[in-house]
Amino acid sequence: MTDHATWIKACAAGDKSALQALMTAEGGRMFGVAQRMLRRIDLAEDAVQDAFVLIWKRSHQFDPSRGSARGWVYTILRNRCLTMLRNEDRVQPIGPEAMESAINDQDLDTAFDRLDQTDDLRRCLERLDLQTRRAILSSYVLGHSHGEIAGRMAAPLGSVKSWVRRGLTKLRECLS
Amino acid sequence: MTDRSLDLLIDEVALGLADDADIARLDRMAQADPAIAARLDQARQRLLALDDTADALPLPEGFWTRLEARLDAEEATTPPAAPQPAQQNVVEVSSIRNAMHRWRATAVAGMAAALMLGVMLAWVSLSRPEPAVIAVLLNDAGEAIALVEGLPDNTTRITLLERQNVAADQVMQVWTKPEEDGPPVSLGLLSTGRSSTLTIDGLPTPRPQQLYEITFEPAGGSPTQLPTGPILGKGLAKEPVT
């Protein structure tokens, strides 16, 4: 088992120091992921706090044979961030729309550039056209919905949905 | 569901584009079928590299203390999922205990407040006498501007439903007609400009169809003991159904 899996198992046994170890190892990155999606430090802290509480409470459900422990941790965090983005009114953009949009594009490019050159995901994303790649990246990296992607690209919702679907199919075929 | 549409559903859930219903649907399928669960995990694993492209940022100061306090609060309300192991001594016990005391104090204070509120509500509902009649006063535009509750002892509760801008040299005066054909009688002034309770002696118990109205009068009240100013609103009383 990886360190992460060991820690989660120890959490299931009630060991808080294991949760603290997981926080030390992964908390900073989780905070970065949450800030990228939620755009506000205070909300990002709430999301990471909530995620750790959920990790603690659900640790007994974690099954190392079913998937990676890190993946499990980030799924919990991402779902919490998405819920905050979709269901709660308190997430408001911080600045003017144009500025938001420029920051968003920059975040997407940075995310793509930081993928390892040898990473299959990078190689396969590179094969997509720019718009499809951006649409897929902005849903994962920024947590944007179909509607938000359509708004930002000034494209009809239906087209965005089909770009994304075609893109995902290509991506899956390329990766498998 | 075709395999192709299942693949798309899995990808959209992993990407974060699926709606709640789709997420729940896939969740149920994954619970029932380990192969689907494995495909979902695989799809998530493929995208995980993107999470690593986020900056690792220093957690805010006191993050662990706050998190620990929340875990303690969770434990206070729900029994632990598994027995506590012997490794407990790794954790600094005194900070947990302090946090426990804080949370317990908060919980006790909360319960006390709730109890107090309950007692007050019971007292209010027991001691608040039932009105004999209720009238909704409407302005010319037909908007409700005040609720009037006439009690058997001729105490009148007036709840304004709209804040009124009363000129400095004017006051709102409340009137009623105890007898249908008689003159209006003043119940009193709303001198603060707010909802209030007025008491008057010597009038019969209010009856259904009794007229109530509020007028604007010179400061100090109508000089003629009869309404002189513009009418803010008026209405006929009805007996509440109990």
Side-chain angles (χ1 to χ4, degrees), chain B residues 17-101:
Chain B
L17 279 175
D19 57 29
D20 288 347
D22 279 344
I23 295 171
R25 188 157 60 108
L26 184 60
D27 221 37
R28 280 193 304 272
M29 290 163 74
Q31 294 280 343
D33 184 347
I36 293 179
R39 277 161 75 180
L40 176 60
D41 281 324
Q42 209 182 357
R44 290 204 160 113
Q45 198 64 36
R46 284 201 289 257
L47 294 165
L48 189 61
L50 280 170
D51 286 316
D52 286 326
T53 65
D55 290 317
L57 302 169
L59 286 172
E61 212 166 302
F63 184 90
W64 173 251
T65 316
R66 287 192 290 280
L67 176 56
E68 211 180 11
R70 283 186 61 185
L71 299 183
D72 290 333
E74 293 282 337
E75 265 176 19
T77 52
T78 48
Q84 302 287 312
Q87 295 135 290
Q88 266 285 325
N89 55 1
V90 182
V91 183
E92 203 190 325
V93 176
S94 67
S95 73
I96 294 180
R97 198 171 291 141
N98 286 341
M100 280 285 269
H101 285 159

Side-chain angles (χ1 to χ4, degrees), chain B residues 55-236:
Chain B
D55 290 317
L57 302 169
L59 286 172
E61 212 166 302
F63 184 90
W64 173 251
T65 316
R66 287 192 290 280
L67 176 56
E68 211 180 11
R70 283 186 61 185
L71 299 183
D72 290 333
E74 293 282 337
E75 265 176 19
T77 52
T78 48
Q84 302 287 312
Q87 295 135 290
Q88 266 285 325
N89 55 1
V90 182
V91 183
E92 203 190 325
V93 176
S94 67
S95 73
I96 294 180
R97 198 171 291 141
N98 286 341
M100 280 285 269
H101 285 159
R102 270 201 310 281
W103 280 96
R104 201 169 289 151
T106 313
V108 169
M111 283 190 284
L115 192 65
M116 176 87 93
L117 191 63
V119 169
M120 278 170 65
L121 277 174
W123 180 78
V124 165
S125 52
L126 283 175
S127 64
R128 191 176 166 102
E130 290 294 322
V133 296
I134 296 179
V136 177
L137 307 194
L138 306 178
N139 65 11
D140 281 344
E143 291 163 340
I145 52 101
L147 179 74
V148 175
E149 292 167 276
L151 274 53
D153 65 354
N154 266 290
T155 301
T156 311
R157 288 196 294 251
I158 293 117
T159 309
L160 292 175
L161 304 174
E162 254 177 35
R163 187 169 290 280
Q164 300 299 331
N165 290 318
V166 186
D169 57 352
Q170 289 203 315
V171 68
M172 285 185 274
Q173 190 161 5
V174 186
W175 306 89
T176 188
K177 275 191 179 176
E179 290 156 14
E180 214 166 332
D181 303 318
V185 175
S186 172
L187 289 171
L189 305 176
L190 300 177
S191 38
T192 60
R194 304 230 177 99
S195 301
S196 101
T197 299
L198 306 170
T199 319
I200 192 165
D201 284 327
L203 291 183
T205 297
R207 55 179 170 76
Q209 296 304 308
Q210 184 165 325
L211 178 82
Y212 286 89
E213 68 178 22
I214 300 177
T215 61
F216 290 111
E217 299 295 340
S222 164
T224 65
Q225 301 301 316
L226 286 172
T228 62
I231 297 170
L232 174 62
K234 60 182 177 182
L236 296 177

Side-chain angles (χ1 to χ4, degrees), chain A residues 12-17 19-20 23 27-29 31-33 35-36 45 48-50 52-53 56-57 66 68 70 74-75 78 82 86 111 114-115 119 121 136-137 139-140 144-146 164-165 168-169 172 175, chain B residues 4 7-8 11-12 14-17 20 30 37-38 41 44-60 63-64 66-68 70-72 74-75 81-85 87-88 90-91 96:
Chain A
D15 179 2
K16 287 201 182 82
S17 69
L19 191 72
Q20 198 173 11
M23 182 198 75
R29 181 79 66 201
F31 194 36
V33 167
Q35 272 197 49
R36 206 163 59 171
E45 185 185 349
V48 180
Q49 284 262 345
D50 292 350
F52 275 111
V53 172
W56 177 254
K57 284 165 75 176
R66 262 196 51 181
S68 92
R70 276 193 87 223
Y74 278 91
T75 298
R78 299 180 54 78
L82 287 173
R86 303 268 194 273
R114 284 186 184 173
L115 284 173
D119 195 313
L121 181 64
I136 287 176
L137 283 175
S139 68
Y140 193 84
H144 284 172
S145 64
H146 280 124
V164 171
R165 286 195 178 144
L168 284 173
T169 305
R172 190 180 337 103
L175 283 166
Chain B
R4 184 178 145 76
D7 269 335
L8 269 177
D11 282 345
E12 288 189 346
L15 199 62
L17 279 175
D20 288 347
D41 281 324
R44 290 204 160 113
Q45 198 64 36
R46 284 201 289 257
L47 294 165
L48 189 61
L50 280 170
D51 286 316
D52 286 326
T53 65
D55 290 317
L57 302 169
L59 286 172
F63 184 90
W64 173 251
R66 287 192 290 280
L67 176 56
E68 211 180 11
R70 283 186 61 185
L71 299 183
D72 290 333
E74 293 282 337
E75 265 176 19
Q84 302 287 312
Q87 295 135 290
Q88 266 285 325
V90 182
V91 183
I96 294 180

